[in-house]
Amino acid sequence: MKFRTGSGMTVSYDDAGAGSTLVFLHGFPLSREMWRPQIDALSRGFRVFAPDLRGFGGTTGFTETPSIEGMAEGVAQFLEALEITSPVALCGLSMGGYVALAFVRKYPQRVRALILADTRAEADDEAGKANRNKMMAFAKEHSAAAVIDQMMPKMFTDTTLSARPEIVAELRRIAAEQSVPAIVHAVQAMRDRPDSTPFLEAIAAPTLVIVGGEDAITPPAMSENLARRISGAKLVTIPGAGHMSNLERTSEFNEAIRSFLLSQS
Ligand code: MLT
């Protein structure tokens, strides 16, 4: 589905199921399509929304200065356009987690539960920023497919990479369809995002932190840090999963969310 918000941005999104609202924010360099297994399973029990973030999938609306906060504002505009005024459960994976953290910081009253998957609160260090600059140059020179090929060894566990070619191919397909301007915009936004660590203790929403036990991009120690600093947060580590834990260990991932949300209602 596509929707034009009041600010002129067109947002493409999935909307499935009925019940209390659960919003999924995708990782980089992907689209809402990465949430297919969650939309299928969790729309039995929840009203699930999965928008494409700025520039990805069918969503337009780059901000002049790329920022994670700008992406969070886009999510708020999307919810307003759909007249979703009650607080939502918000789940972000990796870059989607950065956006979820920016959203809860800016609009705390709009979040009834927070799920942070395979993400982190820390800003990029100098080496991380230099890598972002290299990636922007690489993307401009090559293609979205080349970007995901470069990232792929860290997206899944070695076992998945060698034994489950279908999910590797699916992730590659989703990423290869994204536009280079969207990739460059998002990389710059991630490079310049602020450190969210000082704000973690102000989060009042019940929070679940999920991490693949073999996540090589946002390793478990980062999730442990998140869970330690957010009051009352619950940490679920999924063995045998890497960065894309929602795709690698779908039933464990979905079950963690379902039981967490049911325990809140
Ligand atoms: C993601 O999976 O969204 C990104 O790899 C996060 C990042 O590069 O910091």
Side-chain angles (χ1 to χ4, degrees), residues 26-30 34 93-98 117-120 122 124 132 135 151 155 186-187 190-191 193 215 217-218 243-244:
H26 64 81
F28 170 88
L30 303 166
M34 66 161 272
L93 184 139
S94 202
M95 178 180 79
Y98 307 158
D118 298 282
T119 194
R120 64 182 145 184
E122 297 84 356
D124 283 3
R132 301 284 192 200
M135 186 180 273
M151 293 176 71
M155 297 297 261
V187 173
M190 291 194 287
R191 179 195 67 188
R193 73 188 192 286
D215 185 340
I217 295 183
T218 45
H243 191 57
M244 298 305 298

Short mmCIF file of all heavy atoms in Angstrom, two decimals, residues 26-30 34 93-98 117-120 122 124 132 135 151 155 186-187 190-191 193 215 217-218 243-244, ligand 1:
data_model
loop_
_atom_site.label_atom_id
_atom_site.label_comp_id
_atom_site.label_asym_id
_atom_site.label_seq_id
_atom_site.Cartn_x
_atom_site.Cartn_y
_atom_site.Cartn_z
N HIS A 26 12.61 -1.29 9.37
CA HIS A 26 13.61 -2.19 8.77
C HIS A 26 15.05 -1.71 8.92
O HIS A 26 15.33 -0.55 9.24
CB HIS A 26 13.28 -2.41 7.29
CG HIS A 26 13.35 -1.16 6.45
ND1 HIS A 26 14.53 -0.65 5.96
CD2 HIS A 26 12.37 -0.33 6.00
CE1 HIS A 26 14.28 0.43 5.24
NE2 HIS A 26 12.98 0.65 5.25
N GLY A 27 15.97 -2.63 8.64
CA GLY A 27 17.40 -2.33 8.69
C GLY A 27 17.93 -1.87 7.33
O GLY A 27 17.18 -1.70 6.37
N PHE A 28 19.23 -1.70 7.28
CA PHE A 28 19.92 -1.17 6.10
C PHE A 28 20.62 -2.31 5.38
O PHE A 28 21.18 -3.17 6.05
CB PHE A 28 20.96 -0.13 6.58
CG PHE A 28 21.91 0.32 5.52
CD1 PHE A 28 21.58 1.40 4.71
CD2 PHE A 28 23.12 -0.31 5.32
CE1 PHE A 28 22.46 1.81 3.72
CE2 PHE A 28 23.99 0.10 4.33
CZ PHE A 28 23.66 1.16 3.53
N PRO A 29 20.68 -2.32 4.10
CA PRO A 29 20.09 -1.45 3.08
C PRO A 29 18.86 -2.13 2.51
O PRO A 29 18.87 -2.58 1.38
CB PRO A 29 21.21 -1.36 2.03
CG PRO A 29 21.90 -2.73 2.10
CD PRO A 29 21.64 -3.31 3.48
N LEU A 30 17.82 -2.18 3.32
CA LEU A 30 16.69 -3.08 3.03
C LEU A 30 15.39 -2.30 2.90
O LEU A 30 15.39 -1.08 2.73
CB LEU A 30 16.63 -4.15 4.12
CG LEU A 30 17.94 -4.95 4.27
CD1 LEU A 30 17.96 -5.75 5.56
CD2 LEU A 30 18.14 -5.86 3.07
N MET A 34 11.86 -7.16 4.47
CA MET A 34 12.60 -8.03 5.40
C MET A 34 11.71 -8.54 6.54
O MET A 34 12.06 -9.49 7.23
CB MET A 34 13.83 -7.31 5.99
CG MET A 34 13.50 -6.14 6.90
SD MET A 34 14.85 -5.65 7.99
CE MET A 34 14.57 -6.70 9.42
N LEU A 93 14.99 -3.01 13.79
CA LEU A 93 16.20 -3.86 13.73
C LEU A 93 17.33 -3.03 13.13
O LEU A 93 17.18 -2.43 12.07
CB LEU A 93 15.94 -5.11 12.89
CG LEU A 93 17.09 -6.12 12.83
CD1 LEU A 93 16.59 -7.57 12.93
CD2 LEU A 93 17.95 -5.96 11.59
N SER A 94 18.43 -3.01 13.84
CA SER A 94 19.66 -2.34 13.41
C SER A 94 19.40 -0.88 13.08
O SER A 94 19.06 -0.11 13.96
CB SER A 94 20.29 -3.10 12.26
OG SER A 94 21.64 -2.75 12.23
N MET A 95 19.49 -0.45 11.81
CA MET A 95 19.18 0.95 11.50
C MET A 95 17.76 1.28 11.96
O MET A 95 17.50 2.39 12.46
CB MET A 95 19.33 1.21 9.99
CG MET A 95 18.98 2.63 9.58
SD MET A 95 19.17 2.89 7.80
CE MET A 95 17.65 2.14 7.17
N GLY A 96 16.85 0.34 11.82
CA GLY A 96 15.48 0.55 12.31
C GLY A 96 15.47 0.77 13.82
O GLY A 96 14.62 1.49 14.35
N GLY A 97 16.41 0.16 14.52
CA GLY A 97 16.56 0.37 15.96
C GLY A 97 17.06 1.77 16.26
O GLY A 97 16.62 2.40 17.23
N TYR A 98 17.97 2.28 15.43
CA TYR A 98 18.42 3.68 15.63
C TYR A 98 17.22 4.62 15.48
O TYR A 98 17.07 5.59 16.22
CB TYR A 98 19.47 4.10 14.59
CG TYR A 98 20.69 3.21 14.43
CD1 TYR A 98 21.44 3.24 13.24
CD2 TYR A 98 21.12 2.36 15.43
CE1 TYR A 98 22.57 2.47 13.06
CE2 TYR A 98 22.24 1.56 15.25
CZ TYR A 98 22.96 1.61 14.06
OH TYR A 98 24.07 0.83 13.88
N ALA A 117 16.12 -4.63 18.17
CA ALA A 117 16.73 -5.89 17.73
C ALA A 117 18.04 -5.61 17.00
O ALA A 117 18.10 -4.75 16.12
CB ALA A 117 15.76 -6.62 16.79
N ASP A 118 19.08 -6.34 17.38
CA ASP A 118 20.36 -6.28 16.68
C ASP A 118 20.76 -4.84 16.37
O ASP A 118 21.01 -4.47 15.22
CB ASP A 118 20.30 -7.14 15.39
CG ASP A 118 20.04 -8.60 15.74
OD1 ASP A 118 20.99 -9.29 16.16
OD2 ASP A 118 18.87 -9.04 15.64
N THR A 119 20.78 -4.03 17.42
CA THR A 119 21.08 -2.61 17.25
C THR A 119 21.98 -2.13 18.37
O THR A 119 22.48 -2.94 19.16
CB THR A 119 19.75 -1.82 17.14
OG1 THR A 119 20.04 -0.51 16.66
CG2 THR A 119 18.99 -1.76 18.44
N ARG A 120 22.17 -0.86 18.46
CA ARG A 120 23.03 -0.31 19.52
C ARG A 120 22.68 1.15 19.75
O ARG A 120 22.07 1.80 18.89
CB ARG A 120 24.49 -0.41 19.12
CG ARG A 120 24.80 0.43 17.90
CD ARG A 120 26.21 0.33 17.44
NE ARG A 120 26.20 0.42 15.98
CZ ARG A 120 27.25 0.29 15.22
NH1 ARG A 120 28.43 0.05 15.76
NH2 ARG A 120 27.16 0.39 13.92
N GLU A 122 25.21 3.37 20.87
CA GLU A 122 26.42 4.16 20.68
C GLU A 122 26.45 4.80 19.30
O GLU A 122 26.00 4.21 18.32
CB GLU A 122 27.68 3.30 20.83
CG GLU A 122 27.88 2.67 22.20
CD GLU A 122 27.12 1.35 22.40
OE1 GLU A 122 26.36 0.95 21.48
OE2 GLU A 122 27.29 0.73 23.45
N ASP A 124 28.73 6.18 15.97
CA ASP A 124 29.92 5.64 15.30
C ASP A 124 31.18 6.29 15.88
O ASP A 124 31.19 7.49 16.16
CB ASP A 124 29.88 5.99 13.80
CG ASP A 124 28.90 5.11 13.03
OD1 ASP A 124 28.22 4.27 13.66
OD2 ASP A 124 28.83 5.27 11.80
N ARG A 132 31.93 4.59 6.91
CA ARG A 132 30.70 5.09 6.28
C ARG A 132 31.07 5.91 5.03
O ARG A 132 30.41 5.80 4.00
CB ARG A 132 29.91 5.99 7.23
CG ARG A 132 29.48 5.36 8.54
CD ARG A 132 28.32 4.43 8.38
NE ARG A 132 27.79 4.10 9.70
CZ ARG A 132 27.04 3.04 9.96
NH1 ARG A 132 26.75 2.18 9.00
NH2 ARG A 132 26.59 2.82 11.18
N MET A 135 31.91 3.67 2.32
CA MET A 135 30.73 2.98 1.77
C MET A 135 29.93 3.91 0.85
O MET A 135 29.42 3.48 -0.19
CB MET A 135 29.84 2.41 2.87
CG MET A 135 28.71 1.60 2.28
SD MET A 135 27.59 0.88 3.45
CE MET A 135 28.38 -0.64 3.83
N MET A 151 28.57 -6.47 2.29
CA MET A 151 28.10 -6.63 3.67
C MET A 151 27.74 -8.06 4.03
O MET A 151 27.72 -8.42 5.21
CB MET A 151 26.83 -5.78 3.90
CG MET A 151 27.05 -4.30 3.84
SD MET A 151 25.45 -3.43 4.00
CE MET A 151 25.05 -3.73 5.73
N MET A 155 26.13 -10.39 7.64
CA MET A 155 24.68 -10.30 7.88
C MET A 155 24.13 -11.56 8.55
O MET A 155 23.16 -11.52 9.30
CB MET A 155 23.92 -10.05 6.58
CG MET A 155 24.25 -8.73 5.90
SD MET A 155 23.84 -7.27 6.87
CE MET A 155 22.28 -6.77 6.17
N ALA A 186 21.01 7.14 3.76
CA ALA A 186 20.94 6.40 5.03
C ALA A 186 22.33 6.25 5.66
O ALA A 186 22.47 6.35 6.89
CB ALA A 186 20.31 5.03 4.80
N VAL A 187 23.35 6.03 4.84
CA VAL A 187 24.70 5.86 5.40
C VAL A 187 25.13 7.17 6.06
O VAL A 187 25.70 7.17 7.16
CB VAL A 187 25.71 5.40 4.32
CG1 VAL A 187 27.13 5.38 4.88
CG2 VAL A 187 25.35 4.00 3.82
N MET A 190 23.30 7.49 9.32
CA MET A 190 23.86 6.62 10.37
C MET A 190 25.20 7.17 10.85
O MET A 190 25.49 7.15 12.04
CB MET A 190 24.01 5.19 9.84
CG MET A 190 22.66 4.50 9.61
SD MET A 190 22.80 2.71 9.38
CE MET A 190 23.48 2.59 7.75
N ARG A 191 26.02 7.66 9.91
CA ARG A 191 27.33 8.20 10.30
C ARG A 191 27.18 9.34 11.29
O ARG A 191 27.95 9.46 12.25
CB ARG A 191 28.05 8.70 9.03
CG ARG A 191 29.42 9.29 9.30
CD ARG A 191 29.94 10.09 8.12
NE ARG A 191 29.12 11.29 7.89
CZ ARG A 191 29.24 12.10 6.83
NH1 ARG A 191 30.11 11.82 5.88
NH2 ARG A 191 28.46 13.17 6.71
N ARG A 193 24.63 10.04 13.30
CA ARG A 193 23.64 9.93 14.39
C ARG A 193 24.32 10.15 15.74
O ARG A 193 25.48 9.76 15.93
CB ARG A 193 22.94 8.56 14.35
CG ARG A 193 23.79 7.42 14.80
CD ARG A 193 23.13 6.07 14.58
NE ARG A 193 23.87 5.05 15.29
CZ ARG A 193 25.04 4.57 14.93
NH1 ARG A 193 25.64 5.01 13.85
NH2 ARG A 193 25.65 3.66 15.66
N ASP A 215 25.77 -12.19 16.25
CA ASP A 215 25.67 -10.95 15.46
C ASP A 215 27.06 -10.32 15.34
O ASP A 215 27.67 -9.95 16.34
CB ASP A 215 24.69 -9.99 16.15
CG ASP A 215 24.44 -8.72 15.33
OD1 ASP A 215 25.27 -8.38 14.46
OD2 ASP A 215 23.41 -8.07 15.59
N ILE A 217 27.69 -7.54 13.41
CA ILE A 217 27.63 -6.09 13.13
C ILE A 217 27.31 -5.32 14.40
O ILE A 217 27.96 -4.31 14.71
CB ILE A 217 26.59 -5.79 12.02
CG1 ILE A 217 27.07 -6.43 10.69
CG2 ILE A 217 26.39 -4.28 11.85
CD1 ILE A 217 26.18 -6.16 9.49
N THR A 218 26.35 -5.79 15.15
CA THR A 218 26.03 -5.19 16.46
C THR A 218 26.10 -6.34 17.47
O THR A 218 25.07 -6.92 17.83
CB THR A 218 24.63 -4.51 16.43
OG1 THR A 218 23.69 -5.40 15.79
CG2 THR A 218 24.66 -3.22 15.67
N HIS A 243 23.24 -11.18 12.46
CA HIS A 243 22.64 -9.84 12.49
C HIS A 243 21.17 -9.87 12.08
O HIS A 243 20.35 -9.17 12.66
CB HIS A 243 23.45 -8.95 11.54
CG HIS A 243 23.13 -7.50 11.64
ND1 HIS A 243 23.22 -6.80 12.83
CD2 HIS A 243 22.72 -6.59 10.71
CE1 HIS A 243 22.88 -5.53 12.62
NE2 HIS A 243 22.58 -5.39 11.33
N MET A 244 20.83 -10.68 11.07
CA MET A 244 19.44 -10.72 10.60
C MET A 244 18.69 -11.80 11.38
O MET A 244 18.16 -12.77 10.82
CB MET A 244 19.38 -10.98 9.10
CG MET A 244 20.06 -9.91 8.25
SD MET A 244 19.44 -8.22 8.53
CE MET A 244 17.73 -8.39 8.05
C1 MLT B 1 21.80 -2.31 9.55
O1 MLT B 1 21.78 -3.55 9.53
O2 MLT B 1 20.76 -1.65 9.59
C2 MLT B 1 23.14 -1.61 9.47
O3 MLT B 1 24.14 -2.52 9.17
C3 MLT B 1 23.46 -0.88 10.72
C4 MLT B 1 24.76 -0.17 10.65
O4 MLT B 1 25.46 -0.22 9.64
O5 MLT B 1 25.11 0.51 11.64
#
